[in-house]
Amino acid sequence: MIELIQHIRRKDEQAITLLYNSYGKKLYGFAVGRWNLDEDEAWELVYKTLYKVMEVIDKYTFETESKFNGFVFRIFINNLKNHYQAKKHKQVQTVELEEKHGSIVPVDNGSATDQKDSLHMKCLKMILAGFDDWKRVLLLMKAQNFSYDDIARYVNKPTEQLKVYYMRSKQVLVEKVNECVSNS
């Protein structure tokens, strides 16, 4: 354990890997099992916790291994609480894609498609067009329940990071669509 703390304090390349190997799966299991978070949210909080530990470790000293374990767990619990508070106060508008919202059709440059699309669909297409190709692929493949391992082969990104990228991209997409619709 002292070796782990020394690596973290030096902020060397092995530090995050060692932290992940020691705590990642335990924290993930706790988040999913006890807090009923979905896979993506749980991994995002795990990574946020691990990076926070690396960021603030220099401010603390630890007498025993159990004190360090408690430190990591306390940061994780704080992140969980903050996550639920943010989720509680955030009103996300869910849009069901029905006929009244238009249909999803291949985009061509004709005006007939534009006339049929609802405001939500126009905003969604415009915002997705602004995303990098790999982020669009990630969002669309995850929406079709592809595993992160399968998606990683197409977007050339590490599987472990795709979970975080997906949550952030999805959040940005929802916020921008809601903002676009409310401004129109």
Side-chain angles (χ1 to χ4, degrees):
M1 181 56 64
I2 293 179
E3 181 182 326
L4 172 63
I5 294 172
Q6 290 171 348
H7 280 289
I8 297 169
R9 288 190 194 283
R10 286 192 305 252
K11 313 261 190 280
D12 65 17
E13 293 177 10
Q14 294 179 340
I16 194 68
T17 303
L18 291 171
L19 256 176
Y20 173 80
N21 290 338
S22 298
Y23 296 99
K25 291 180 182 172
K26 293 174 191 173
L27 296 176
Y28 170 79
F30 184 78
V32 171
R34 293 275 178 107
W35 288 74
N36 297 321
L37 291 177
D38 70 27
E39 179 180 324
D40 298 320
E41 291 173 320
W43 280 119
E44 183 176 357
L45 290 175
V46 167
Y47 283 111
K48 189 183 277 188
T49 299
L50 299 180
Y51 283 108
K52 185 67 172 183
V53 167
M54 288 186 64
E55 180 183 323
V56 300
I57 195 166
D58 293 331
K59 297 177 185 177
Y60 301 93
T61 57
F62 306 98
E63 298 169 5
T64 64
E65 181 179 335
S66 65
K67 297 280 186 184
F68 181 72
N69 291 339
F71 171 73
V72 172
F73 192 71
R74 175 51 43 204
I75 292 174
F76 186 65
I77 293 298
N78 288 342
N79 282 334
L80 280 167
K81 289 178 180 178
N82 291 340
H83 173 76
Y84 272 103
Q85 285 297 321
K87 202 172 182 180
K88 181 179 172 184
H89 295 313
K90 184 178 177 183
Q91 297 292 331
V92 177
Q93 180 182 4
T94 304
V95 178
E96 294 293 325
L97 294 178
E98 299 173 359
E99 286 186 30
K100 66 182 180 180
H101 294 296
S103 58
I104 300 174
V105 294
V107 179
D108 63 2
N109 293 330
S111 61
T113 304
D114 293 340
Q115 293 173 354
K116 292 180 184 176
D117 288 340
S118 71
L119 179 59
H120 284 94
M121 287 303 294
K122 287 179 184 175
C123 289
L124 182 61
K125 285 179 182 180
M126 178 185 70
I127 293 162
L128 279 174
F131 276 38
D132 292 336
D133 290 339
W134 70 269
K135 285 185 181 179
R136 281 195 304 271
V137 169
L138 171 63
L139 287 167
L140 295 172
M141 288 182 77
K142 191 62 184 160
Q144 294 177 9
N145 294 321
F146 280 87
S147 71
Y148 288 113
D149 291 329
D150 291 337
I151 298 170
R153 286 185 237 143
Y154 292 97
V155 297
N156 197 23
K157 300 284 182 191
T159 303
E160 298 80 25
Q161 291 292 11
L162 283 181
K163 297 168 187 174
V164 175
Y165 291 142
Y166 172 69
M167 287 300 293
R168 289 179 182 160
S169 297
K170 184 172 85 171
Q171 182 179 2
V172 167
L173 180 65
V174 169
E175 288 172 359
K176 287 187 175 187
V177 167
N178 288 338
E179 182 180 312
C180 175
V181 169
S182 67
N183 290 337
S184 296

